[in-house]
Amino acid sequence: MEDEGKKGKTFGLGCEPVVGSLAPPEKKEYRITNRLQEGQRPIYAVAFNFLDSRYLNVFVTVGGNRITVYQCLEGGVISVLQSYVDEDKDEAFYAVSWACSDEGSPFIVAGGSKGIIRVIDAGRESIYRSFIGHGNCINEVRTQTLKPALVISASRDESLRFWNTQTGICILIFAGAGGHRYEILSVDFHPSDIYRICSCGMDTTVKIWSIKDFWTYVEKSFTWTDLPSKFPTKFVQHPVYTASVHVNYVDCTRWLGDFILSKSVDDEIMLWEPKVKEEITGTGAVDVLQKYPIPACDIWFIKFSCDFHFNIATVGNRTGKIYVWELQLSHPESNSPIRQTATSFDGSTILSCTEDGTIWRWDDVSNSST
């Protein structure tokens, strides 16, 4: 604990962090089944569609000014379904997420270097809306799965913006006195508490926000009939909790129940429990439960993913390897930094997108006779 103290890390009472691996009871065996060269520009994000059971094998990637929709077929086949090219050739998309209209049409929500969010109606194969508001590039977009018309974006401008894709309204802006002090790199919605959001960034902190007191504005956004610009957007300046569990950039965070998984550029993911003191806003303790070392993961903007049931987590590194719980996936020709992974609904397929514009597909063959 002495060395940890020198790094400035503190841990709450309880079990000390265990250095270990996320090993499921039954190991899966993955084999490379496809490699697809999309182009020469980096692919920064890839995401499966978990919102609609009809499209569980459909995924989307963003690279350069292009958004591409694919389908994973049997035998490792990857089929191109749709492709969209932004009119601005200098646009570079960094983030993408699936959303859904009230009628059930799948939306693709993407943002990048220009700070503009594009909402594409993939059902009608057309642009649905464009959101302008961020003052700098967008690093992540996430969807509220309990209300999939709602998305949140994290930006270099030190703010989070909460949007209604159906009506085009910016409902809330998370920034100000208690907000992040540097670029925000990642954000996530709590899987069951519709009011909770966590975010992290270059200021090395992870913050938990609550929208409970502003929920009436969320409801109002669905029935608003005036111009979106006239909506009474509210600022949320103070999080309910701020934690410093890392001492370097934190570029990915995800809720795991009431626990949080967060990854820093210090070659590790941490699993920890936030101990929020409800009576004193912004304070609380940290109970670090486990650390998961990731070799050669010391550059920022490398993000991990989980399957729908959170049975496995996957993360790439700068040398082109993927780590799945204890199991490492690699291929001799995969040596470019993996910016993001996507894990299928049941964990049977893992996708990675790389700096050299390649998509790699790995399939679970542990139950295969071949």
Side-chain angles (χ1 to χ4, degrees):
M1 289 303 293
E2 184 177 342
D3 290 339
E4 297 290 351
K6 290 178 180 177
K7 295 180 183 178
K9 298 181 182 179
T10 59
F11 306 109
L13 295 176
C15 61
E16 293 181 356
V18 178
V19 177
S21 56
L22 301 169
E26 297 180 7
K27 285 188 178 180
K28 293 177 179 288
E29 179 187 350
Y30 291 90
R31 184 180 302 160
I32 189 77
T33 56
N34 204 335
R35 172 189 177 183
L36 182 64
Q37 187 74 37
E38 190 173 273
Q40 299 303 315
R41 299 181 72 173
I43 304 174
Y44 280 104
V46 57
F48 274 105
N49 186 342
F50 287 173
L51 299 177
D52 193 322
S53 60
R54 296 173 295 175
Y55 310 121
L56 293 180
N57 63 345
V58 173
F59 68 94
V60 61
T61 65
V62 291
N65 65 336
R66 186 181 299 273
I67 301 169
T68 311
V69 183
Y70 300 90
Q71 186 174 22
C72 285
L73 302 175
E74 293 293 325
V77 175
I78 297 176
S79 172
V80 179
L81 299 181
Q82 300 174 8
S83 185
Y84 304 90
V85 178
D86 196 272
E87 59 190 12
D88 187 344
K89 68 180 188 307
D90 295 323
E91 174 67 280
F93 289 113
Y94 300 146
V96 68
S97 184
W98 292 93
C100 188
S101 71
D102 286 345
E103 293 79 29
S105 185
F107 284 169
I108 299 166
V109 187
S113 62
K114 298 296 183 178
I116 300 171
I117 295 175
R118 303 293 190 189
V119 181
I120 295 170
D121 187 335
R124 294 180 174 85
E125 299 186 49
S126 61
I127 188 82
Y128 184 72
R129 294 186 184 277
S130 295
F131 297 153
I132 299 174
H134 279 297
N136 214 316
C137 70
I138 294 163
N139 292 318
E140 190 156 72
V141 179
R142 297 287 287 175
T143 301
Q144 170 52 271
T145 55
L146 301 175
K147 273 190 175 293
L150 302 175
V151 300
I152 194 165
S153 52
S155 173
R156 179 181 290 177
D157 67 8
E158 302 180 5
S159 78
L160 304 166
R161 286 180 177 252
F162 190 33
W163 308 87
N164 186 321
T165 59
Q166 186 72 36
T167 57
I169 288 170
C170 180
I171 309 166
L172 301 171
I173 301 173
F174 301 82
H180 286 280
R181 287 291 174 263
Y182 206 176
E183 198 163 335
I184 306 177
L185 300 179
S186 186
V187 63
D188 195 33
F189 290 102
H190 193 286
S192 58
D193 184 344
I194 202 167
Y195 304 124
R196 291 270 163 136
I197 298 164
C198 67
S199 61
C200 64
M202 287 188 175
D203 61 4
T204 75
T205 67
V206 179
K207 295 180 183 289
I208 297 176
W209 307 81
S210 175
I211 59 175
K212 188 173 184 178
D213 293 340
F214 302 92
W215 193 251
T216 54
Y217 293 93
V218 177
E219 294 174 334
K220 185 184 294 185
S221 73
F222 283 95
T223 57
W224 188 257
T225 55
D226 206 341
L227 292 172
S229 59
K230 293 185 178 181
F231 186 83
T233 301
K234 293 297 179 182
F235 271 86
V236 183
Q237 294 201 54
H238 296 281
V240 296
Y241 178 86
T242 298
S244 296
V245 292
H246 302 278
V247 295
N248 212 327
Y249 294 173
V250 189
D251 58 359
C252 191
T253 184
R254 298 288 182 263
W255 288 98
L256 182 61
D258 289 329
F259 299 150
I260 289 177
L261 282 166
S262 57
K263 175 196 158 290
S264 79
V265 298
D266 286 329
D267 297 321
E268 68 179 3
I269 295 174
M270 283 191 183
L271 174 65
W272 52 281
E273 181 182 9
K275 307 270 192 178
V276 181
K277 294 181 180 178
E278 300 287 354
E279 67 277 6
I280 308 176
T281 302
T283 62
V286 173
D287 193 355
V288 179
L289 305 175
Q290 205 152 18
K291 298 179 182 179
Y292 310 109
I294 316 161
C297 200
D298 52 359
I299 60 174
W300 68 280
F301 213 99
I302 289 182
K303 304 193 176 190
F304 61 87
S305 68
C306 301
D307 67 314
F308 181 80
H309 299 289
F310 292 92
N311 290 323
I312 64 171
T314 65
V315 66
N317 70 0
R318 62 173 165 79
T319 63
K321 295 180 175 62
I322 298 177
Y323 291 86
V324 188
W325 305 112
E326 273 189 327
L327 182 64
Q328 171 190 325
L329 304 181
S330 63
H331 189 276
E333 295 180 26
S334 175
N335 49 32
S336 182
I338 295 172
R339 290 301 183 177
Q340 190 163 20
T341 62
T343 309
S344 65
F345 186 87
D346 60 359
S348 62
T349 298
I350 296 168
L351 302 171
S352 65
C353 58
T354 64
E355 184 81 15
D356 63 4
T358 305
I359 300 166
W360 295 82
R361 175 177 172 176
W362 301 80
D363 285 308
D364 177 17
V365 296
S366 55
N367 295 321
S368 173
S369 58
T370 58

